[in-house]
Amino acid sequence: MTLPTGEQFALETSTSSGEVRATITAVAAGIRSLSINGIDLVPEFAEDQSPPMGAGIVLVPWPNRIRDGRWSHEGEEHQLAITEPARNNAIHGLLRYTEYKPIARERDSVTLSATIYPQLGYPFLLGTAVHYELVADGLRVTHFVENLGAEPAPVAIGTHPYIKIGDVPTRDLTLRLDAASHIEVDERLLPTGEVPVEGTEWDFREGRPVGELSLDDAFGELASEDGQVLHSLTAPDGRSVSIWADDEFDYVQVFTTRQFPGEEGDIAIAVEPMTAPAEAFNSGRGLRWLDPGEEWQLSWGIRFAGFSAE
């Protein structure tokens, strides 16, 4: 039987906190499940489903949106396929529906690779890979991108994880974002400006209850400590699940929905590390140009704390 997300890679490991398990999918190199002692840390979707609302997928060579799918460089106009027809944008890169190939496999890890070939609106050749590894406090994810072509290539990276603490309603968790600015957008969710969060409804640095939120918003000016940025959901009993990322992930998108399959009656929340915001191919913000033969490697992960093996 062929599944909508292709081959499934089941990972498992034993930690001092208990048994950690994950399922990684070949299509989009996505996270379909992650748990500690049977408690879900992401909202799992069925293996016969496509990832609902982008759950767990990799976004490359750009995250978020490009207005009208159009961008230009050195006087040459490029037209990407419109993949968000309702807003007439190109969204979430070129590998969302691509089957990655496994190139390394262990009980607690898997490495998947996919090639981006020159195509409509993106005439560049990239080799990409994603390494997933279960570690003592969660899941570590490392991205690799190499320019295989003869010309410099524009690249940005994002990912789309939803997070939760499965035995606590997500609406009862507290969201904390270590971000000092909020990116304002128009009706098509494209940037119009960036403002400080201080004194506004967009300040999550001290934490706010998830249940009151309705978000599809990007944030910048992320605080970094020891080369990492950190965003978290915390339960009333002190347990937490966090998204950490290398400080090259200069932006984070937060999306909430009350329509995630299997989460009816509750809210689902995605906390999405991004190296660049929407419209990066036009604004240049956060965009990295890889020279021929140049490689780029960076990491992020999902971290749990306060969980016990008992």
Side-chain angles (χ1 to χ4, degrees), residues 5-9 23-32 45 51 100 112:
T5 52
E7 188 173 357
Q8 311 288 296
F9 302 95
T23 305
I24 308 301
T25 66
V27 173
I31 303 168
R32 190 168 70 79
F45 60 93
Y100 287 63
L112 304 173

Side-chain angles (χ1 to χ4, degrees), residues 167-183:
D167 57 352
V168 179
T170 300
R171 61 180 176 272
D172 294 338
L173 303 179
T174 296
L175 171 68
R176 181 179 177 274
L177 303 175
D178 215 342
S181 70
H182 174 255
I183 297 177

Side-chain angles (χ1 to χ4, degrees), residues 130-157:
V130 189
H131 177 71
Y132 288 98
E133 181 179 7
L134 295 179
V135 293
D137 60 356
L139 178 68
R140 181 181 181 89
V141 188
T142 302
H143 297 263
F144 306 86
V145 182
E146 181 180 3
N147 184 357
L148 303 177
E151 302 292 336
V155 181
I157 296 172

Side-chain angles (χ1 to χ4, degrees):
M1 176 182 176
T2 301
L3 299 173
T5 52
E7 188 173 357
Q8 311 288 296
F9 302 95
L11 311 183
E12 59 182 19
T13 193
S14 298
T15 75
S16 59
S17 299
E19 297 298 311
V20 183
R21 301 177 185 273
T23 305
I24 308 301
T25 66
V27 173
I31 303 168
R32 190 168 70 79
S33 69
L34 175 65
S35 65
I36 170 71
N37 298 326
I39 299 171
D40 288 334
L41 300 179
V42 306
E44 181 176 358
F45 60 93
E47 66 175 15
D48 62 354
Q49 287 182 301
S50 294
M53 304 178 190
I57 67 174
V58 172
L59 317 175
V60 68
W62 75 88
N64 219 293
R65 296 164 172 86
I66 297 175
R67 185 186 300 273
D68 302 322
R70 295 175 184 164
W71 66 285
S72 63
H73 178 62
E74 295 184 342
E76 184 176 358
E77 298 290 329
H78 300 283
Q79 177 64 64
L80 295 156
I82 299 301
T83 49
E84 189 184 35
R87 296 189 177 100
N88 200 48
N89 297 318
I91 190 171
H92 289 346
L94 298 172
L95 295 180
R96 183 172 185 172
Y97 305 105
T98 295
E99 182 179 34
Y100 287 63
K101 305 298 184 184
I103 57 175
R105 179 80 167 89
E106 302 290 344
R107 176 174 177 265
D108 60 358
S109 67
V110 65
T111 306
L112 304 173
S113 70
T115 301
I116 297 175
Y117 291 98
Q119 57 193 276
L120 178 70
Y122 194 81
F124 307 100
L125 180 62
L126 301 179
T128 79
V130 189
H131 177 71
Y132 288 98
E133 181 179 7
L134 295 179
V135 293
D137 60 356
L139 178 68
R140 181 181 181 89
V141 188
T142 302
H143 297 263
F144 306 86
V145 182
E146 181 180 3
N147 184 357
L148 303 177
E151 302 292 336
V155 181
I157 296 172
T159 187
H160 207 289
Y162 289 74
I163 53 176
K164 65 182 296 185
I165 297 175
D167 57 352
V168 179
T170 300
R171 61 180 176 272
D172 294 338
L173 303 179
T174 296
L175 171 68
R176 181 179 177 274
L177 303 175
D178 215 342
S181 70
H182 174 255
I183 297 177
E184 298 181 312
V185 296
D186 61 18
E187 68 281 357
R188 294 168 61 189
L189 301 182
L190 295 163
T192 60
E194 187 169 355
V195 297
V197 300
E198 183 73 33
T200 75
E201 63 180 309
W202 309 113
D203 194 345
F204 292 88
R205 290 174 293 182
E206 299 301 322
R208 287 175 53 191
V210 171
E212 68 183 37
L213 303 178
S214 178
L215 297 171
D216 195 352
D217 293 84
F219 298 82
E221 296 185 24
L222 308 184
S224 172
E225 183 174 346
D226 298 327
Q228 288 186 359
V229 297
L230 188 70
H231 316 289
S232 63
L233 289 178
T234 304
D237 62 9
R239 290 177 300 159
S240 66
V241 58
S242 302
I243 297 290
W244 65 266
D246 289 349
D247 56 11
E248 291 180 274
F249 287 94
D250 287 330
Y251 301 88
V252 63
Q253 182 89 11
V254 182
F255 172 68
T256 61
T257 177
R258 289 164 174 79
Q259 298 177 339
F260 195 98
E263 304 295 307
E264 290 83 358
D266 199 4
I267 188 171
I269 183 168
V271 181
E272 311 163 30
M274 307 184 300
T275 63
E279 276 282 75
F281 278 16
N282 287 307
S283 70
R285 295 180 62 191
L287 192 64
R288 179 155 178 169
W289 286 84
L290 293 183
D291 289 328
E294 185 178 0
E295 300 180 11
W296 188 18
Q297 176 180 330
L298 65 169
S299 298
W300 67 281
I302 301 175
R303 177 180 296 156
F304 60 80
F307 289 78
S308 171
E310 299 179 356

